[in-house]
């Protein structure tokens, strides 16, 4: 007769993977990625995801992120499009061949983009941006919910429209990989761009209700100014410390590359 | 070349990404309706407009139309008689017809 514990505590039953200690959000995210991939992640990848999420929480920036994807680490494109938080993005025209789990998802400057809704965000309490791994652009747009709110490329650095038609230049760095992002808070625009950072005055008010497009900008629900960059991460949300997020994403990408 | 020619044999991602599937507005409407009814709403094959009134898709979508592919559900319901009527051209040719405004202009 078999013991009632047979199959549960048998000394011969060895777990195939030790789950990283942790955090319920990290465990839920990893489980969702593995379900989308159809197989388990390597322990090192799961640990990199966990360390990123736990780290963002300890930095106090996690709760500000309302819509985001880690476009690396997962085994498949479907896994990479599992939302880190919030609802899932809609993929327009990307295919598995565009995805590299070490370096990210590459646009083609013509047909491919993501649409991700972050709900309603006050434009003076908003942060968003992308991690550019390669193929930095000198024109076109990386991300934006409207023509007056977009981050675009430039011959050096990048530029942002903080709710007005005039672009604000963000640095002069051409060095990738790195994060390009903005934090719009009350009357100040803080930016970070490929290792440089700065601030400027801003005057816009109102709320953003339209979905963000990534790899381009949402202009009246149409994708415009699409880019061919390879991105590893993007985020949309409320105010947060861009430097802390930059450090966390940099570590995440390094750890993922080492684990794969 | 037509879409029927292209799908007559397996096509690699590297080859397909250099080709564009060019649709008339009527063909794009048919594709959209089928996508709406049968496609996966998280993965949408959405043609983009060209300056001559036609629309285009990157042909690498064909790498995701087999069993388990991201766009397989919608593709399986496309009428086969449509394929010989759909043009396939080099991506460089279609790309030249894309509206590409500088971000300053939008």
């Amino acid at each position: 007769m078999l013991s009632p514990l047979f199959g549960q505590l048998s000394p011969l039953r060895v777990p195939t993977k030790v789950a990283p200690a942790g955090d319920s959000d990290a465990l839920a995210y990893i489980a969702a990625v593995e379900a989308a991939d159809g197989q388990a992640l390597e322990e090192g990848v799961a640990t990199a995801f966990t360390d990123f999420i736990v780290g963002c929480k300890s930095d106090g920036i996690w709760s500000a992120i309302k819509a985001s994807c880690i476009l690396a680490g997962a085994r498949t494109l479907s896994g990479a499009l599992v939302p880190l938080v919030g609802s899932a993005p809609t993929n327009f025209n990307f295919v598995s061949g565009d995805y590299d789990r070490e370096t990210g998802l590459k646009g083609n400057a013509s047909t491919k983009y993501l649409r991700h809704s972050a709900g309603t965000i006050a434009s003076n309490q908003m942060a968003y941006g992308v991690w550019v791994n390669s193929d930095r652009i000198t024109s076109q747009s990386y991300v934006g919910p409207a023509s007056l709110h977009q981050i675009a490329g430039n011959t050096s650095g990048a530029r942002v429209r903080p709710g007005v038609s005039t672009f604000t230049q963000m640095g002069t760095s051409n060095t990738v990989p790195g994060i390009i992002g903005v934090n719009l808070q009350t009357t100040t625009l803080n930016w970070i761009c490929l290792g440089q950072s700065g601030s400027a005055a801003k005057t816009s008010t109102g709320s953003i209700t339209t979905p963000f497009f990534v790899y381009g900008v949402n202009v009246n629900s149409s994708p415009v100014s699409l880019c061919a960059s390879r991105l590893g991460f993007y985020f949309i949300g409320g105010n947060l410390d861009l430097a802390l997020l930059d450090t966390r994403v940099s570590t995440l990408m390094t750890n993922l590359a080492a684990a794969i | 070349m037509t879409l029927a020619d292209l799908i007559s044999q397996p096509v690699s991602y590297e080859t397909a990404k250099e080709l564009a599937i060019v649709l008339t507005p009527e063909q794009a409407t048919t594709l959209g309706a089928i996508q709406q009814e049968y496609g996966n709403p998280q993965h949408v094959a959405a043609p983009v407009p060209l300056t001559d009134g036609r629309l285009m898709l990157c042909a690498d979508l064909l790498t995701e139309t087999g069993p388990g592919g991201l766009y397989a559900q919608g593709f399986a319901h496309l009428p086969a008689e449509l394929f010989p009527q759909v043009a396939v051209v080099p991506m460089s040719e279609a790309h030249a017809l894309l509206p590409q405004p500088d971000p300053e202009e939008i």
Side-chain angles (χ1 to χ4, degrees):
Chain A
M1 179 178 169
L2 293 175
S3 157
L5 296 178
F6 182 80
Q8 296 177 45
L9 297 177
S10 165
L12 298 177
R13 184 177 180 275
V14 180
T16 55
K17 186 184 74 180
V18 179
D23 178 272
S24 60
D25 289 315
L27 290 171
Y29 174 69
I30 291 165
V33 171
E34 290 180 336
D37 282 349
Q39 60 179 308
L41 292 166
E42 300 92 335
E43 186 177 345
V45 172
T47 300
F49 285 156
T50 300
D51 288 350
F52 174 73
I53 293 169
V54 171
C56 285
K57 288 184 176 181
S58 73
D59 287 344
I61 57 177
W62 173 256
S63 62
I65 301 172
K66 304 301 181 193
S68 176
C69 281
I70 300 172
L71 299 172
R75 293 182 186 274
T76 67
L77 175 55
S78 291
L81 296 179
V82 167
L84 188 58
V85 293
S87 60
T90 302
N91 160 29
F92 291 92
N93 301 321
F94 280 106
V95 299
S96 298
D98 302 321
Y99 176 65
D100 181 305
R101 62 188 300 233
E102 283 191 50
T103 57
L105 182 63
K106 190 174 183 333
N108 69 347
S110 58
T111 61
K112 300 170 190 281
Y113 63 102
L114 302 176
R115 182 181 67 198
H116 207 152
S117 176
T120 300
I121 304 179
S123 68
N124 60 0
Q125 296 176 330
M126 176 169 70
Y128 64 99
V130 297
W131 175 270
V132 183
N133 210 333
S134 64
D135 304 287
R136 192 187 74 83
I137 51 174
T138 57
S139 184
Q140 297 116 21
S141 300
Y142 290 110
V143 57
S147 62
L148 294 185
H149 282 285
Q150 59 167 304
I151 296 174
N154 211 350
T155 50
S156 61
R159 49 191 164 151
V160 61
R161 268 185 174 154
V164 295
S165 59
T166 303
F167 274 94
T168 297
Q169 179 66 29
M170 300 193 291
T172 56
S173 175
N174 291 338
T175 305
V176 291
I179 207 164
I180 302 176
V182 295
N183 184 57
L184 303 156
Q185 190 163 16
T186 316
T187 57
T188 303
L189 158 69
N190 295 301
W191 57 263
I192 191 164
C193 182
L194 306 177
Q196 299 178 330
S197 61
S199 63
K202 66 169 281 291
T203 57
S204 71
T205 58
S207 296
I208 301 297
T209 58
T210 52
F212 282 68
F213 284 4
V214 187
Y215 299 89
V217 59
N218 179 354
V219 178
N220 301 322
S221 300
S222 293
V224 175
S225 195
L226 299 181
C227 77
S229 294
R230 188 176 289 278
L231 307 180
F233 173 81
Y234 68 87
F235 68 98
I236 303 158
N239 290 139
L240 54 74
D241 187 317
L242 294 169
L244 292 175
L245 181 62
D246 185 21
T247 300
R248 289 292 171 195
V249 178
S250 177
T251 301
L252 169 67
M253 293 299 158
T254 299
N255 290 345
L256 287 176
I260 293 169
Chain B
M1 186 192 304
T2 70
L3 184 54
D5 299 325
L6 187 58
I7 64 174
S8 64
Q9 53 192 348
V11 59
S12 71
Y13 168 74
E14 294 300 328
T15 298
K17 73 177 185 178
E18 300 301 330
L19 298 170
I21 298 169
V22 180
L23 305 164
T24 65
E26 294 75 21
Q27 291 167 344
T29 299
T30 300
L31 173 69
I34 291 171
Q35 171 87 32
Q36 180 77 23
E37 185 169 0
Y38 300 105
N40 180 339
Q42 198 189 344
H43 302 283
V44 180
V48 296
L50 301 175
T51 53
D52 65 359
R54 297 181 297 169
L55 300 97
M56 77 104 151
L57 291 162
C58 183
D60 62 9
L61 288 172
L62 297 174
T63 63
E64 296 284 359
T65 54
L70 300 178
Y71 305 102
Q73 296 169 31
F75 187 82
H77 288 85
L78 286 175
E81 59 268 26
L82 191 67
F83 299 159
Q85 303 168 31
V86 175
V88 176
V89 304
M91 179 58 81
S92 57
E93 192 177 307
H95 210 271
L97 294 173
L98 276 173
Q100 293 182 306
D102 186 272
E104 299 275 0
E105 301 166 355
I106 59 176

